[in-house]
């Protein structure tokens, strides 16, 4: 028996209901073993098909293309990373990957996957995409089965308070699995990011050690693709007004998102300094004037 229990069961890669998804050389990417299996098949001249135009898919595509593979990405939606960035940044990554000779298909779904000899064939309507390896990156499923069996409150993950406490007073949870309150965005959220898993885990650990501590971090995320770094602070919202510091045609630029007179989020390409400043401003609740943010000489 235990006085207190911490659940950090994370999540597992989502497997789409596609016939043939379990064929050899078709992988998801979630574990170290997954990574090793994929890396073992990366070689110059081989063909990779990536299902899903989100962050996992794009990072895998960039790695494979940089290693000399022929890469095709299929995305069911009409733009890349549509859930997490504004359309201007989606367009930046589309042209960015296209310039690296990655073929990207939008509004495209895989009907089935077949294998003949060493070749995989992904059927899309009347056409086929050929590949030596397929990587599936279509999201994550929270590992909430144990929490369900324990009778804990669930709502897109385990419902916790700002201290990580679940609906059972002696059970706590942290990481990808938690649906937690976030004061910055003013609502509950479940985040799938390394920073959240680490920082919330530290916060709940402090609570379990007897501290009065509340987890209240501004969401932060990053992605490295080729020689380009993207960082996001806050949760980008489609209703926000975008203020550009620089241009999407520049090697480095930032987009500040405002809702009214409040800075909601910042998305930076090769501009980590702007993200650090944005985080400081957001925590303080004080922001430079819009004209100053847009002035690259300022």
């Amino acid at each position: 028996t235990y006085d207190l229990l911490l659940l950090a069961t994370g999540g597992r890669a989502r497997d789409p209901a596609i016939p043939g998804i379990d064929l050899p050389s078709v992988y998801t990417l979630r574990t170290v073993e997954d990574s090793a299996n994929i890396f073992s098949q990366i070689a110059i001249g081989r063909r990779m098909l990536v299902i899903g135009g989100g962050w996992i898919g794009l990072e895998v595509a960039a790695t494979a293309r940089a290693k000399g593979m022929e890469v095709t990405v299929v995305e069911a939606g009409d733009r890349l990373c549509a859930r997490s960035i504004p359309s201007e940044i989606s367009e930046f990554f589309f042209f960015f990957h296209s310039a690296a000779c990655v073929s990207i298909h939008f509004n495209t779904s895989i009907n089935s996957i077949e294998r003949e000899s060493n070749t995989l064939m992904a059927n899309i309507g009347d056409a086929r995409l050929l590949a030596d390896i397929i990587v599936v990156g279509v999201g994550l499923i929270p590992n909430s089965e144990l929490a369900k069996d324990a009778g804990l409150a669930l709502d897109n993950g385990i419902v916790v308070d700002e201290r990580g406490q679940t609906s059972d007073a002696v059970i706590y949870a942290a990481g990808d699995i938690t649906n937690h309150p976030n004061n910055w965005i003013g609502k509950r959220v479940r985040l799938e990011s390394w920073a959240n898993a680490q920082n919330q885990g530290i916060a709940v650990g402090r609570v379990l050690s007897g501290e009065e501590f509340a987890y209240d971090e501004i969401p932060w995320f990053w992605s490295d693709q080729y020689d380009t770094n993207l960082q996001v602070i806050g949760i980008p919202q489609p209703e926000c007004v975008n203020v550009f510091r620089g241009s999407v045609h520049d090697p480095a630029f930032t987009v500040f998102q405002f809702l009214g007179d409040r800075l909601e989020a910042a998305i930076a390409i090769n501009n980590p300094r702007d993200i650090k400043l944005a985080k400081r401003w957001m925590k303080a609740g004080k922001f430079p004037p819009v004209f100053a943010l847009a002035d690259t000489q300022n």
Side-chain angles (χ1 to χ4, degrees):
T1 61
Y2 301 91
D3 295 325
L4 295 172
L5 181 66
L6 172 63
L7 294 179
T9 49
R12 60 189 181 274
R14 185 184 301 274
D15 274 331
I18 300 174
I21 199 71
D22 56 349
L23 287 171
S25 297
V26 180
Y27 301 103
T28 55
L29 177 55
R30 181 65 182 171
T31 67
V32 172
E33 182 181 6
D34 294 336
S35 180
N37 287 335
I38 293 168
F39 189 77
S40 70
Q41 297 214 34
I42 291 179
I44 294 175
R46 301 194 81 211
R47 300 161 297 183
M48 175 183 285
L49 172 63
V50 178
I51 301 176
W55 298 116
I56 289 292
L58 294 184
E59 289 177 7
V60 170
T63 299
R65 188 70 194 104
K67 294 291 186 179
M69 294 191 76
E70 297 178 19
V71 180
T72 299
V73 176
V74 294
E75 164 57 38
D78 59 2
R79 64 183 178 93
L80 300 173
C81 302
R83 292 188 304 165
S84 54
I85 53 175
S87 59
E88 293 89 343
I89 308 298
S90 293
E91 291 176 9
F92 168 83
F93 276 101
F94 170 72
F95 289 113
F96 180 61
H97 279 274
S98 296
C101 298
V102 173
S103 177
I104 301 176
H105 301 259
F106 293 113
N107 302 306
T108 301
S109 296
I110 305 297
N111 299 323
S112 64
I113 300 171
E114 301 173 15
R115 185 180 178 93
E116 289 186 7
S117 185
N118 292 323
T119 300
L120 292 164
M121 296 169 291
N123 299 306
I124 51 171
D126 296 330
R128 282 181 168 181
L129 297 173
L130 306 183
D132 300 299
I133 175 176
I134 295 177
V135 178
V136 182
V138 293
L140 176 147
I141 298 174
N143 290 330
S144 56
E145 292 80 5
L146 181 59
K148 181 179 180 180
D149 291 344
L152 302 182
L154 300 176
D155 181 11
N156 183 29
I158 303 173
V159 176
V160 299
D161 64 13
E162 67 280 358
R163 300 167 62 251
Q165 190 175 50
T166 70
S167 55
D168 187 313
V170 300
I171 302 178
Y172 291 72
D176 293 355
I177 192 68
T178 64
N179 177 335
H180 60 275
N182 185 282
N183 288 334
W184 176 254
I185 61 176
K187 62 181 181 181
R188 288 187 161 274
V189 64
R190 187 177 65 80
L191 298 172
E192 299 171 8
S193 73
W194 175 88
N196 174 69
Q198 171 190 261
N199 295 336
Q200 190 181 31
I202 292 171
V204 176
R206 293 175 67 173
V207 171
L208 294 179
S209 67
E211 289 188 50
E212 283 298 324
F213 191 83
Y215 180 62
D216 191 27
E217 292 283 335
I218 300 174
W220 172 55
F221 166 81
W222 80 89
S223 177
D224 290 318
Q225 300 173 36
Y226 306 104
D227 58 352
T228 293
N229 170 258
L230 168 136
Q231 294 192 45
V232 179
I233 188 79
I235 303 290
Q237 304 289 339
E239 63 269 25
C240 286
V241 174
N242 294 328
V243 177
F244 281 79
R245 184 176 180 84
S247 164
V248 294
H249 303 294
D250 296 335
F253 66 91
T254 303
V255 181
F256 296 98
Q257 285 205 320
F258 279 85
L259 193 60
D261 59 356
R262 172 179 150 113
L263 179 61
E264 289 287 326
I267 307 105
I269 300 293
N270 295 326
N271 249 343
R273 176 180 173 274
D274 282 2
I275 292 295
K276 290 180 180 178
L277 290 171
K279 182 177 182 179
R280 186 185 308 165
W281 297 330
M282 292 161 79
K283 283 194 169 184
K286 298 179 181 179
F287 324 113
V290 167
F291 72 85
L293 289 177
D295 184 359
T296 57
Q297 303 303 312
N298 199 328

